[in-house]
Amino acid sequence: RRGKQRVKRERGKPVEELFASFDDAPLAAASLAQVHRARLHSGDEVVVKVQRENLRQLFDVDLFNIRLVASLADRLDPQTEALASNWRGVAETSGDVLYREIDFRIEQHAATEFRANFAKDKTIKVPAMYPELCTSRLLTMEYCPGKKITDTEALQREGFDADHLAKTLTTSYLEQICRHGFFHCDPHPGNLAVDDGFPGGRLIYYDFGMMERVEVEVKRGFVDLIFSIYQNMPREACDALETMGVLRKGVDRFSIERIARNMLGSFQSTLASADNKWENEMTPEEKRESRRNRRAQLGQDLFATQAERPFLFPPKFTFVFRAFSTIDGIGKTLTGPRYDLSRISQPYLRELADLRDGSALKSAALELGRRVGWRPQDVAQLVTQPRAVAGVAQTVRKLEEGDLKLRVRTLEVERMIERVELRQRFIGAGVASALLLHISLGATLHRLAARVVQVIAARVAWECWNAWLALKKLTVQQLRFENEDTVYDTM
């Protein structure tokens, strides 16, 4: 009855005028809305999504608390693994998505765009919207029944192909990220179903309230990253990470490019031989040995990147990683341990890299030009070569005359200076807090003044504690990258 009352309040007409039939009992219910099955006077079967009341007020309170916790996390997060935290940004992005989710007009337009993106894909079904029966708190869409994607018994009973469904789910999400730039943020099993609209099963997407866009630059950077990975071009891979906003601009890239060169070499060797294993196929002992070998080659470079924290975590990537972890879980539910997200993605990503310039022929021609040196930038470099040589000669002359000074980075000295600074902070703060505490306990000091001094002593002691933790973390990191056994090797 409440559902009918809300429909009448939103549309200003009795439910009987809008629908030929309307089920009182909801077909499904969630925290934001409940869904009722109905039939239009035209005979079309639909479902009506009716929003619950007072959601915005609840969101205001919840998001205030989330932002507060995120601000504290940004201050207290240790920020290891060369990655700078941005919990406040994640909270703000999540808030934007949630507020859009309670405006059903936005969901209607999102569903229409999502349906258009997959209009030519026979393996994907997206419900059609009925705009004339939609408001900001009411959504009417095509009724698309199906079997829940994780109900393996029902899927097997209906004769659906689990491998086909796992591949369809994976490639459809890659299509959203890489080609459309408009993706579903919440592909959990409740928002996915299967019907018999395609041999082996057709995937149905539901609930388009949580959608996000990938900016054109980020999408282009991702395609360039995939291309550079398959072509084994570490410098171009770092350029692509900068374009995506994952790598800070202006940082010292020498160590980062060396790490990228090692990683891409390992990736190429794994592709080249079936005997080589991906890391997720290794035993725990093999993983530890692989990491030790990598640290033996790149220990100093890895330590340098830890100190600078050159990598960023764009807030929108939170939804992407969460979605892929959910998809990985669904894939393993469908096909068991033989599901491998990276292997299923590989042909798609290789095709994407081949088509990054619009067609495989054009990409091949540009790659040939790169290899033989016939690109426009190569020709321009040839033309400007005399000026470049003259510039180098001028620089050498200035060096000889003492007009230029070289700036040399010594990682060992950096480690030593950082350790000395932390020890100074630790000792200085410890001595100062002890001295202040001793003064506060003196008999000549007024009680109120003693309390003030004790508060200051506690603050200085907190600084001493933080310096000790930082010194301990630095020691563990140095041992780790010097290839000594640490707690990381037991993970």
Side-chain angles (χ1 to χ4, degrees):
R1 291 183 180 276
R2 288 185 179 180
K4 287 185 175 182
Q5 291 173 358
R6 292 175 193 158
V7 172
K8 181 180 179 180
R9 187 164 59 245
E10 286 295 313
R11 296 301 304 164
K13 295 180 181 180
V15 172
E16 292 74 18
E17 291 187 23
L18 299 171
F19 302 97
S21 65
F22 189 97
D23 291 354
D24 289 327
L27 182 66
S31 57
L32 301 185
Q34 60 189 40
V35 178
H36 296 262
R37 188 174 175 181
R39 188 174 73 252
L40 301 180
H41 292 291
S42 62
D44 293 346
E45 295 284 339
V46 297
V47 292
V48 183
K49 186 176 178 180
V50 185
Q51 187 177 124
R52 298 188 185 278
E53 297 178 347
N54 303 320
L55 288 180
R56 178 167 288 276
Q57 291 83 348
L58 292 173
F59 277 18
D60 289 341
V61 174
D62 291 343
L63 287 170
F64 174 80
N65 295 328
I66 290 173
R67 291 187 182 106
L68 180 62
V69 172
S71 298
L72 292 174
D74 273 337
R75 288 180 175 273
L76 302 177
D77 188 359
Q79 301 187 18
T80 55
E81 302 302 325
L83 181 67
S85 66
N86 186 16
W87 294 110
R88 179 76 184 193
V90 172
E92 293 295 342
T93 303
S94 300
D96 292 341
V97 171
L98 288 175
Y99 279 122
R100 291 202 303 268
E101 191 174 9
I102 59 176
D103 187 342
F104 285 177
R105 282 290 189 189
I106 295 177
E107 182 174 352
Q108 174 210 327
H109 295 308
T112 302
E113 181 177 350
F114 195 81
R115 176 181 169 87
N117 289 340
F118 286 103
K120 296 181 180 179
D121 191 339
K122 304 301 181 183
T123 64
I124 304 294
K125 172 68 176 177
V126 181
M129 296 289 122
Y130 291 82
E132 67 278 6
L133 293 174
C134 295
T135 69
S136 61
R137 290 186 290 184
L138 183 72
L139 194 68
T140 305
M141 69 187 81
E142 177 186 3
Y143 176 55
C144 298
K147 301 296 182 182
K148 191 175 182 179
I149 194 168
T150 52
D151 189 350
T152 53
E153 292 183 1
L155 296 177
Q156 188 174 11
R157 189 167 55 249
E158 296 292 330
F160 295 131
D161 185 347
D163 290 311
H164 160 74
L165 293 174
K167 182 179 179 181
T168 299
L169 175 60
T170 305
T171 55
S172 70
Y173 207 79
L174 288 168
E175 190 84 3
Q176 296 169 46
I177 299 291
C178 303
R179 295 193 190 275
H180 305 159
F182 185 61
F183 64 94
H184 200 297
C185 294
D186 199 21
H188 64 76
N191 289 337
L192 296 166
V194 181
D195 69 7
D196 58 358
F198 187 85
R202 180 174 61 174
L203 187 65
I204 307 173
Y205 276 92
Y206 301 127
D207 193 354
F208 308 96
M210 292 183 65
M211 307 290 291
E212 263 296 353
R213 294 190 183 276
V214 179
E215 293 82 358
V216 174
E217 284 298 315
V218 175
K219 188 167 62 171
R220 184 182 298 117
F222 182 75
V223 174
D224 289 342
L225 175 64
I226 298 302
F227 182 81
S228 59
I229 288 174
Y230 279 101
Q231 296 298 325
N232 198 8
M233 299 188 298
R235 181 175 298 177
E236 287 77 3
C238 292
D239 291 338
L241 289 174
E242 276 194 3
T243 302
M244 294 172 65
V246 176
L247 179 62
R248 291 182 190 273
K249 293 185 178 181
V251 298
D252 183 3
R253 283 184 26 174
F254 179 79
S255 296
I256 297 170
E257 289 181 7
R258 282 199 67 212
I259 295 170
R261 189 175 297 109
N262 179 275
M263 296 293 185
L264 295 188
S266 175
F267 177 76
Q268 293 295 330
S269 65
T270 305
L271 286 180
S273 174
D275 296 330
N276 295 326
K277 294 181 179 179
W278 301 98
E279 187 162 322
N280 62 351
E281 298 173 334
M282 296 179 180
T283 63
E285 292 76 15
E286 289 173 332
K287 287 182 181 179
R288 284 195 291 270
E289 184 62 27
S290 174
R291 292 170 185 170
R292 287 178 63 84
N293 292 337
R294 189 179 303 143
R295 294 201 302 265
Q297 299 176 27
L298 300 168
Q300 289 191 354
D301 297 299
L302 290 168
F303 185 82
T305 59
Q306 290 272 322
E308 291 184 341
R309 297 192 188 98
F311 296 104
L312 302 170
F313 187 77
K316 287 184 182 180
F317 283 23
T318 307
F319 301 112
V320 177
F321 291 145
R322 188 185 72 167
F324 274 119
S325 64
T326 304
I327 289 170
D328 186 66
I330 294 173
K332 286 181 169 57
T333 300
L334 287 171
T335 64
R338 68 177 182 273
Y339 176 83
D340 189 335
L341 178 62
S342 60
R343 289 193 182 277
I344 293 177
S345 305
Q346 193 180 120
Y348 178 89
L349 295 175
R350 188 182 289 277
E351 178 191 0
L352 184 70
D354 291 339
L355 297 175
R356 71 171 188 148
D357 299 299
S359 69
L361 181 62
K362 185 177 179 181
S363 295
L366 291 174
E367 176 61 18
L368 177 63
R370 184 186 71 84
R371 291 181 181 275
V372 300
W374 288 351
R375 297 175 302 173
Q377 55 263 44
D378 297 324
V379 176
Q381 188 175 10
L382 177 63
V383 173
T384 59
Q385 192 69 24
R387 279 178 285 176
V389 172
V392 171
Q394 186 179 8
T395 302
V396 172
R397 191 179 306 112
K398 288 183 177 181
L399 283 171
E400 292 174 346
E401 295 172 355
D403 295 335
L404 288 181
K405 293 183 180 180
L406 292 177
R407 184 170 66 100
V408 180
R409 184 180 184 190
T410 308
L411 295 177
E412 292 294 336
V413 175
E414 288 183 8
R415 293 186 193 184
M416 190 182 305
I417 292 174
E418 186 175 5
R419 180 177 290 276
V420 168
E421 289 177 348
L422 288 174
R423 281 177 176 171
Q424 287 178 343
R425 279 177 53 198
F426 173 67
I427 295 172
V431 171
S433 62
L435 181 60
L436 288 170
L437 183 61
H438 179 73
I439 293 173
S440 70
L441 297 176
T444 59
L445 202 62
H446 189 271
R447 179 177 296 180
L448 179 60
R451 294 291 182 268
V452 173
V453 174
Q454 287 173 3
V455 170
I456 297 173
R459 176 65 183 84
V460 177
W462 175 254
E463 179 64 24
C464 177
W465 171 256
N466 286 333
W468 182 80
L469 290 178
L471 187 61
K472 182 180 178 181
K473 184 178 73 173
L474 179 66
T475 302
V476 172
Q477 287 178 348
Q478 287 184 349
L479 289 173
R480 180 186 179 195
F481 296 126
E482 288 170 1
N483 232 3
E484 300 291 336
D485 289 329
T486 68
V487 66
Y488 292 98
D489 292 306
T490 63
M491 296 179 178

